[in-house]
Amino acid sequence: AQINAGFELVRWLQYDHRIPSANVVGHGTANGHPFFYDRLGYRNDHSDWNAWEVGMFKYWLGPPTFRPYDVTGIFAPRYGQPGVSAALGEATSDPLAGVRPGSAMQRFERGVMYASSQTGVWEVYGGIAGRYHAIGGAASALGLPTSGERDGGLPGSRMNTFQGGVVLWSPGTGAHEVYGAIGARYRSLGSETGVLGLPTSGEIAGPTPGSRLNTFANGVIFWSPATGARAISGDIGRAYRSLPADTRRVLGLPQGLEEVAAAPDARKVRYAGGATYTSPQTGTATVHGAIAFWYFVTGAEASAMGLPLTDEYAIPGGRASDFQGGRITWNATTGKVTFYPTR
């Protein structure tokens, strides 16, 4: 009877206070447990209920069950909205203080609810929650959510708005944040329903020190203290996304917006270290570095070389780019640039 009463007592304590079995200890094992503490420094001198006995007690005790966490107070009305509880699942914590002053939060199986007097009570879950918490959650530049998850402007997309920006998700692009000056430029261009489409990266370091960028399905937005936020879109924007990181560093920041090139039906974006051209006849290609410098000083697309046909590629001893009027090569040993016209 005493043993059974012990089982019932411990099961009740575990259930009501959510005590894991690892924290069930006996007199003989208490001194070595990290939770043992005595204000006066006394040590326990019992030898019974040693590790083996405690282990047997836990074995016959069985796996613990814990009482469910309640969703009450400020979180209850929103949790009771259609679809919200199904999306979040059961609560896995009591309400907790949030990282922002005056805010609160509660964790659930598939997400988190946040509350403040300024933003209201909103949930974040699924792929959007994963990205939000990966970049620091409420402590990040995004701040607290200002909406629940809802449909985005494009078919199949989803979004949450936050104090500082937005996180957009789709099956093809995943979840990515847009905020700050880049976010303001993105909104001015129509957000996801505009020319850029959905983000394909969060905000990351740009090609020059202190610069930042976000990539999108149809382009890029750059930001630096000197230039502010500038967007390139369409074929040129998509081409920039596919360039290797080393090429991006050589190109640097765009010097302006997309402009008409000095060739029929062609357009270009100029960078500090090169340019990208596009036309229906030649497609989209980028020139950069030493080849681009020689190309520019000899007349660029207005010269006999015409528009570039390829990005720069490796050749024995150096690099090369093909143009309508021939090929330009760069020798890695001598640094010499040579133009070979088409015959």
Side-chain angles (χ1 to χ4, degrees), residues 19-305:
I19 300 171
S21 292
N23 293 338
V24 175
V25 298
H27 277 140
T29 57
N31 287 342
H33 197 275
F35 287 169
F36 180 83
Y37 177 73
D38 189 283
R39 288 180 183 274
L40 299 179
Y42 289 116
R43 303 292 289 170
N44 168 54
D45 61 359
H46 288 270
S47 60
D48 60 327
W49 284 84
N50 57 37
W52 182 87
E53 292 168 327
V54 173
M56 290 303 298
F57 183 84
K58 291 180 184 179
Y59 175 80
W60 290 109
L61 185 68
T65 59
F66 305 141
R67 68 175 174 83
Y69 287 95
D70 298 321
V71 184
T72 59
I74 193 172
F75 294 106
R78 179 64 185 171
Y79 186 69
Q81 292 289 312
V84 175
S85 60
L88 289 171
E90 298 294 329
T92 58
S93 80
D94 289 318
L96 306 166
V99 298
R100 297 265 174 169
S103 68
M105 61 181 288
Q106 188 165 8
R107 295 191 179 95
F108 295 81
E109 290 175 304
R110 293 181 289 277
V112 182
M113 296 187 79
Y114 294 89
S116 79
S117 58
Q118 293 79 29
T119 57
V121 182
W122 302 106
E123 70 282 355
V124 187
Y125 58 87
I128 290 177
R131 180 59 185 171
Y132 178 56
H133 295 130
I135 63 171
S140 72
L142 289 174
L144 293 167
T146 55
S147 79
E149 185 175 309
R150 63 177 191 259
D151 287 337
L154 295 177
S157 66
R158 302 283 288 172
M159 65 182 292
N160 267 77
T161 59
F162 297 84
Q163 289 173 299
V166 64
V167 177
L168 292 135
W169 174 92
S170 79
T173 58
H176 303 287
E177 73 283 358
V178 190
Y179 59 88
I182 290 176
R185 181 63 177 147
Y186 184 53
R187 290 192 298 275
S188 75
L189 294 171
S191 296
E192 72 271 23
T193 59
V195 294
L196 291 171
L198 290 165
T200 55
S201 80
E203 186 174 303
I204 57 177
T208 61
S211 66
R212 307 287 290 172
L213 66 82
N214 269 75
T215 62
F216 299 85
N218 298 312
V220 186
I221 298 179
F222 302 85
W223 176 89
S224 76
T227 64
R230 289 177 174 172
I232 55 174
S233 59
D235 290 337
I236 292 178
R238 286 189 289 271
Y240 182 88
R241 278 180 32 202
S242 66
L243 293 172
D246 288 346
T247 302
R248 293 187 187 187
R249 281 192 289 272
V250 174
L251 285 174
L253 293 170
Q255 301 300 288
L257 302 177
E258 185 176 311
E259 60 187 285
V260 175
D265 301 321
R267 297 186 67 79
K268 67 182 178 182
V269 169
R270 293 179 292 176
Y271 302 89
T276 300
Y277 293 84
T278 187
S279 80
Q281 294 77 29
T282 60
T284 305
T286 298
V287 291
H288 66 277
I291 290 176
F293 178 79
W294 193 92
Y295 179 60
F296 294 150
V297 299
T298 54
E301 71 270 19
S303 71
M305 289 173 288

